[in-house]
């Protein structure tokens, strides 16, 4: 089968690899239809991912169709599916608590093990969810949108809450969309006026704040000095994450959607006087995937606006390196894998 292999940082190549010979019990062979390109994939290509061994087949935002299942599987051949790329152990403390998204031994397709920049993969039966009536392209957006949906669910903020999403990249925009679906009044912060303009024109987020030297004053002005009831930081930037504490209202919640290697420091008196809740949000669960599928199907998610770039497996070896450098107008790129 054809696959795109990242042999080492900066080097992509289309190769011919044999598909898996055997499908283990409880696993399913699927034909990959479309794959989204994630920020993680750009980091892998650039050699910036700290927990990765090369060579690696990337790709974890997956739309697929069932080919066949191993013993003990019931999903029918030909079924369109969303692939949950988080392979959990099922036995650790997190899995026993129903939180496989933060399994202590988690393996993510395309990161810790080979992913879906190829024509076929095998995955556990429990990691396949029906795509319902979504298009194959739309199905490939479900995983990245589920990250934001999970963060919003973790926040447990009431409808009507004033929400701030910091970072208007794909994850931040997904978070903003699901915050809006939850009934929140959403404001975005980003350093890029282009991204804020896109969010306003294409996604309907009219309230945007440019992250410059006056950002703290603009946050205060937007909230009559109160701060936001819930703040989501989706920047992956330590400085932004530290600054986010000051944007939270008394009694409010701060959710870290992204993760950095830095130490995050904050003023304990400021934290305590607000009686602030600090939440980490990692990956997503079946509940979030299902919520995203239903939301797309009901027209609440402007998928067509989010998909800004398209390529193929052959084209990806040229396009992915170019998009890693030139991000003007880029929100979500989709790789078409299926020939038909």
């Amino acid at each position: 089968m054809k696959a795109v292999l990242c042999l080492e940082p900066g080097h992509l190549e289309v190769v011919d690899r044999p598909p898996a010979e055997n499908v283990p019990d409880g696993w399913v062979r699927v034909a990959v239809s479309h794959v989204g390109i994630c920020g993680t994939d750009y980091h892998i290509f650039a050699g910036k991912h700290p927990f990765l061994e090369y060579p690696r087949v990337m790709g974890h935002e997956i739309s697929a169709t069932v080919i066949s299942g191993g013993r003990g599987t019931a999903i029918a051949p030909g079924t369109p599916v969303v692939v949950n790329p988080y392979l959990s152990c099922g036995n650790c403390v997190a899995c026993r608590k129903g939180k496989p998204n933060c399994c202590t031994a988690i393996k993510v397709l395309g990161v810790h093990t080979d992913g879906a920049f190829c024509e076929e993969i095998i995955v556990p039966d429990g990691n396949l969810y029906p795509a319902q009536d979504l298009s194959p392209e739309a199905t490939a957006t479900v995983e990245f949108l589920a990250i934001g949906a999970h963060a919003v669910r973790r926040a447990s903020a009431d409808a009507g809450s004033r929400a701030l999403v910091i970072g208007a990249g794909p994850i931040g925009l997904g978070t903003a969309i699901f915050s809006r679906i939850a009934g929140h009044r959403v404001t975005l912060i980003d350093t890029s006026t282009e991204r804020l303009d896109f969010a306003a024109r294409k996604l309907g987020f009219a309230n945007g704040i440019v992250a410059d030297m006056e950002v703290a004053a603009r946050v205060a002005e937007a909230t009559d000095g109160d701060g936001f009831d819930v703040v989501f930081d989706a920047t992956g930037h330590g400085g932004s994450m530290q600054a986010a504490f000051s944007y939270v209202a008394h009694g409010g919640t701060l959710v870290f959607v992204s993760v950095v290697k830095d130490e995050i420091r904050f003023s304990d008196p400021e934290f305590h006087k607000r009686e602030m809740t600090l939440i980490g949000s990692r990956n997503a669960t079946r509940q979030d995937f299902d919520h995203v599928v239903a939301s797309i199907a009901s027209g609440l998610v402007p998928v067509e606006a989010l998909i800004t770039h398209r390529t193929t497996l052959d084209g990806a070896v040229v396009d992915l390196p170019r998009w890693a450098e030139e991000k003007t107008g880029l929100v979500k790129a989709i790789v078409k894998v299926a020939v038909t």
Side-chain angles (χ1 to χ4, degrees):
M1 66 174 178
K2 183 185 294 185
V4 172
L5 186 66
C6 188
L7 292 162
E8 59 186 7
H11 186 183
L12 296 180
E13 188 174 309
V14 178
V15 300
D16 188 42
R17 303 182 98 195
E21 291 185 3
N22 300 307
V23 181
D25 294 352
W27 287 57
V28 177
R29 186 190 303 275
V30 299
V32 178
S33 175
H34 292 74
V35 186
I37 301 178
C38 174
T40 298
D41 300 318
Y42 295 118
H43 288 153
I44 291 170
F45 172 75
K48 296 178 180 178
H49 198 287
F51 309 117
L52 186 120
E53 295 181 0
Y54 297 88
R56 177 64 70 223
V57 176
M58 300 180 290
H60 61 270
E61 302 176 0
I62 310 163
S63 162
T65 303
V66 172
I67 299 174
S68 60
R71 188 168 58 185
T73 63
I75 192 163
T79 302
V81 290
V82 180
V83 178
N84 179 336
Y86 320 128
L87 308 184
S88 56
C89 73
N91 299 312
C92 73
V93 60
C95 289
R96 295 196 306 269
K97 291 178 179 178
K99 294 176 67 68
N101 56 301
C102 57
C103 168
T104 62
I106 199 167
K107 292 183 178 181
V108 180
L109 294 175
V111 181
H112 307 97
T113 186
D114 282 343
F117 281 6
C118 59
E119 294 178 306
E120 291 184 13
I121 58 173
I122 61 170
V123 290
D125 175 72
N127 285 67
L128 300 178
Y129 311 146
Q132 307 300 345
D133 295 324
L134 301 192
S135 71
E137 263 199 347
T139 301
T141 69
V142 171
E143 189 274 340
F144 96 84
L145 290 167
I147 301 294
H150 183 72
V152 171
R153 182 164 65 87
R154 291 274 289 146
S156 300
D158 295 334
S161 296
R162 289 191 290 200
L164 177 66
V165 178
I166 309 171
I171 299 300
L173 291 175
T175 303
I177 287 167
F178 280 89
S179 183
R180 180 168 62 191
I181 289 171
H184 304 159
R185 294 174 287 161
V186 180
T187 297
L188 284 166
I189 286 182
D190 200 273
T191 57
S192 169
T193 55
E194 177 197 345
R195 285 185 175 183
L196 293 176
D197 180 63
F198 173 88
R201 288 186 298 103
K202 297 292 188 178
L203 306 179
F205 293 106
N207 296 325
I209 297 174
V210 179
D212 57 17
M213 297 299 291
E214 304 299 322
V215 63
R218 292 194 177 107
V219 166
E221 181 182 1
T223 61
D224 300 318
D226 288 338
F228 286 89
D229 302 309
V230 59
V231 176
F232 302 94
D233 191 288
T235 63
H237 185 276
S240 173
M241 294 164 77
Q242 289 187 170
F245 283 83
S246 66
Y247 306 150
V248 181
H250 283 235
T253 299
L254 173 58
V255 183
F256 285 154
V257 189
S258 52
V259 61
V260 293
K261 293 177 68 177
D262 309 346
E263 288 188 357
I264 304 299
R265 299 176 180 274
F266 59 90
S267 165
D268 188 57
E270 290 295 321
F271 179 76
H272 269 80
K273 78 179 185 181
R274 286 171 166 81
E275 198 179 54
M276 187 192 304
T277 300
L278 177 62
I279 294 175
S281 182
R282 186 182 185 192
N283 299 327
T285 67
R286 172 69 185 266
Q287 181 177 347
D288 307 304
F289 279 79
D290 287 346
H291 180 37
V292 172
V293 170
S295 297
I296 295 174
S298 61
L300 296 174
V301 181
V303 170
E304 282 302 316
L306 293 169
I307 300 173
T308 56
H309 293 58
R310 294 172 170 85
T311 189
T312 62
L313 274 184
D314 289 318
V317 296
V318 174
D319 291 330
L320 191 151
R322 178 162 54 87
W323 295 333
E325 298 295 331
E326 177 49 62
K327 291 185 164 38
T328 301
L330 175 65
V331 177
K332 178 55 58 178
I334 299 289
V335 179
K336 182 179 179 182
V337 177
V339 177
T340 55

